[in-house]
Amino acid sequence: MATPAKLGFIGLGAMGFPMASNLISKSAKGSQLFIYDVSEASMSRFAEKHPNSTVVCKSPAEVSSSADILFTMLPEGAHVKSVYLDPATGVLHDGMAAKILVDCSTIDVDTSLLVLDAVRQSKSHSGVSFFDAPVSGGTLGAEKGSITIMLGIAEQHDPVYPVLLPLLQLMGKHIVPCGKPGMGLTAKLCNNYCSGLIALATAEAMNIGIRSGMDPRLLARVFSSSTAQSTICDTWNPVPGVVPAAPSSHGYQGGFKVQLMAKDFGLAMQAAAKAEATTLLGPAGLDAYRKAAQDPNCYDRDSRVVFRYIGGDEKWQEKL
Ligand code: NAD
């Protein structure tokens, strides 16, 4: 039987809450989860759900004083920096017990490497590891424990990997070691750059078809067995009524919010600039997602709402 663990989780939002919930409910009996969030309401809700295993903390430092392994799931780089490095309340401090620190937030690679550097520089924290481990699969995937986790680790060489893997498997289905620090984030940003552009291209192509008099369900079937096939077309189709279970068929509720896509797309463009990679489609994509994220008809909705943003006909069925 597995040994009870002392775990920590900071950031109990849309993703962090269900991830932490899976982590503690699937951990060995007697395990404890030390939690912190700036939102007291989120912490109370979590403690109510897991009353026997949750310890509510007053700061990130308090979590890292007690937990052996801790996870963070925060909105942006600035939050990650302050949660780890704040001299008064941060995770890194002299009384730190935690030996493995895992940041699952989607942030810029530079901030992640800066935190890694601070961990490595600190003499009092020798033997402590820090990893980037962004995730894909959305809130539904986080609830089901089926997310993909892209881990900035060298699978073959890092002795921490065998320790970390079973814990990550409590939260995710596909754990992909991406080679070295920062590469988990690089993989995540490249993925979202690509899937954001596929969504935009699918929305535009289907809009052309609808305006030319074609039933978009038929067009999606053609795409599915032709070269325009994609998961976006088959599962997350941007046109309402084509895929009944897709967010687009439910007022674009659920899914991956357009403002998060705008954030990730911006981070991917920064990564492209740093790597001097040509991005012919990038500027148009970034502009579309940023503007859609500011449009009250699109804000807070699934990012495939770009079909609405480009003026796609959502009432196509009435005209058949
Ligand atoms: P969220 O805003 O719902 O949750 C963030 C949580 O962090 C909130 O509970 C907030 O109170 C807390 N927080 C903020 N600052 C804090 C601080 N200084 N200390 C402690 N807690 C703090 O965001 P989310 O949707 O859970 O996303 C988190 C990260 O995961 C983001 O980087 C996002 O891009 C990424 N992500 C989100 C999705 C998704 O579908 N929502 C999917 C994949 C990846």
Side-chain angles (χ1 to χ4, degrees):
M1 189 200 278
T3 339
K6 282 184 164 188
L7 305 166
F9 211 105
I10 301 173
L12 301 165
M15 293 295 288
F17 194 106
M19 285 170 66
S21 208
N22 274 321
L23 180 66
I24 192 59
S25 46
K26 297 179 192 170
S27 283
K29 203 161 176 267
S31 295
Q32 285 178 296
L33 188 68
F34 297 83
I35 59 163
Y36 177 71
D37 193 295
V38 282
S39 156
E40 298 219 347
S42 300
M43 289 197 285
S44 306
R45 208 157 50 85
F46 194 90
E48 270 166 36
K49 191 168 176 199
H50 304 278
N52 301 323
S53 42
T54 305
V55 182
V56 173
C57 296
K58 291 192 182 67
S59 67
E62 209 175 296
V63 176
S64 66
S65 300
S66 308
D68 296 323
I69 302 177
L70 76 80
F71 299 86
T72 47
M73 190 46 153
L74 299 156
E76 298 189 22
H79 307 104
V80 172
K81 214 165 141 186
S82 84
V83 159
Y84 280 93
L85 306 183
D86 185 287
T89 59
V91 165
L92 293 192
H93 67 106
D94 288 346
M96 182 165 86
K99 289 283 178 224
I100 303 176
L101 315 171
V102 185
D103 180 38
C104 299
S105 326
T106 305
I107 62 167
D108 59 292
V109 176
D110 285 352
T111 298
S112 185
L113 294 181
L114 186 134
V115 174
L116 172 67
D117 205 42
V119 171
R120 286 182 173 165
Q121 294 293 322
S122 168
K123 290 193 182 67
S124 53
H125 308 135
S126 66
V128 178
S129 307
F130 171 83
F131 302 101
D132 52 308
V135 314
S136 175
T139 50
L140 270 184
E143 275 157 32
K144 286 191 203 149
S146 63
I147 49 177
T148 293
I149 305 181
M150 299 157 228
L151 188 59
I153 200 168
E155 178 183 9
Q156 311 296 340
H157 311 296
D158 201 314
V160 174
Y161 186 59
V163 180
L164 203 45
L165 183 62
L167 286 174
L168 294 174
Q169 284 169 332
L170 303 179
M171 298 184 278
K173 191 165 167 203
H174 304 285
I175 316 301
V176 188
C178 293
K180 63 177 184 176
M183 288 300 131
L185 278 166
T186 299
K188 167 76 182 170
L189 297 180
C190 293
N191 180 77
N192 282 20
Y193 178 87
C194 195
S195 86
L197 286 176
I198 293 171
L200 204 47
T202 306
E204 288 183 358
M206 301 226 33
N207 191 33
I208 297 170
I210 294 168
R211 284 172 184 264
S212 307
M214 188 155 190
D215 183 331
R217 291 168 295 193
L218 200 51
L219 189 53
R221 268 179 54 208
V222 172
F223 281 14
S224 288
S225 54
S226 306
T227 48
Q229 187 277 334
S230 70
T231 300
I232 298 292
C233 180
D234 294 350
T235 312
W236 301 90
N237 200 292
V239 181
V242 170
V243 175
S248 59
S249 299
H250 304 277
Y252 296 98
Q253 296 301 327
F256 184 60
K257 288 183 180 167
V258 67
Q259 59 270 27
L260 286 179
M261 180 58 94
K263 176 193 75 128
D264 290 2
F265 210 99
L267 292 174
M269 290 297 281
Q270 277 175 28
K274 202 172 165 210
E276 297 182 18
T278 302
T279 51
L280 297 179
L281 304 175
L286 183 59
D287 188 58
Y289 282 110
R290 283 202 172 143
K291 287 186 177 149
Q294 284 160 12
D295 181 337
N297 293 318
C298 301
Y299 176 77
D300 235 17
R301 292 171 200 267
D302 177 61
S303 58
R304 273 58 61 152
V305 75
V306 282
F307 178 74
R308 173 178 287 176
Y309 174 72
I310 62 165
D313 184 0
E314 294 175 52
K315 301 212 164 97
W316 56 269
Q317 264 163 319
E318 292 171 10
K319 295 171 194 149
L320 284 181

